[in-house]
Amino acid sequence: MQTRLKEWRQKRGLSVRALGELSKVHYVSIVRMESGKLDPQLSTVLKLCRALRITLNQLIGDHAPQKGE
């Protein structure tokens, strides 16, 4: 999840602090999640998804091959 969290944050043009403000998740926690040092609770992940305007599946990812891959 940490790689995708950072990718989505950057894609939305947000700093760690800005995502923290939008999601109401402390920016230090986001830094720790992005570095793989913190496994967040589901409620925290959902806050991040809402702030990034993405689904849980987009963040967590379903690695099943899609048709045509």
Side-chain angles (χ1 to χ4, degrees):
M1 180 191 91
Q2 62 261 19
T3 303
R4 287 196 176 184
L5 176 58
K6 187 173 184 175
E7 287 173 1
W8 277 108
R9 178 178 59 75
Q10 291 174 336
K11 184 175 182 174
R12 295 290 189 242
L14 297 169
S15 68
V16 174
R17 286 181 186 257
L19 179 57
E21 289 176 17
L22 284 172
S23 64
K24 306 294 189 245
V25 174
H26 198 279
Y27 76 94
V28 173
S29 296
I30 296 171
V31 169
R32 293 183 69 213
M33 283 180 245
E34 287 186 352
S35 66
K37 295 179 181 175
L38 177 66
D39 288 326
Q41 293 183 353
L42 179 58
S43 60
T44 301
V45 174
L46 293 174
K47 287 179 184 179
L48 292 168
C49 287
R50 280 191 292 272
L52 292 167
R53 300 181 322 273
I54 59 173
T55 65
L56 181 60
N57 194 45
Q58 286 174 296
L59 183 60
I60 302 301
D62 178 6
H63 298 292
Q66 300 296 315
K67 214 174 201 180
E69 285 189 14

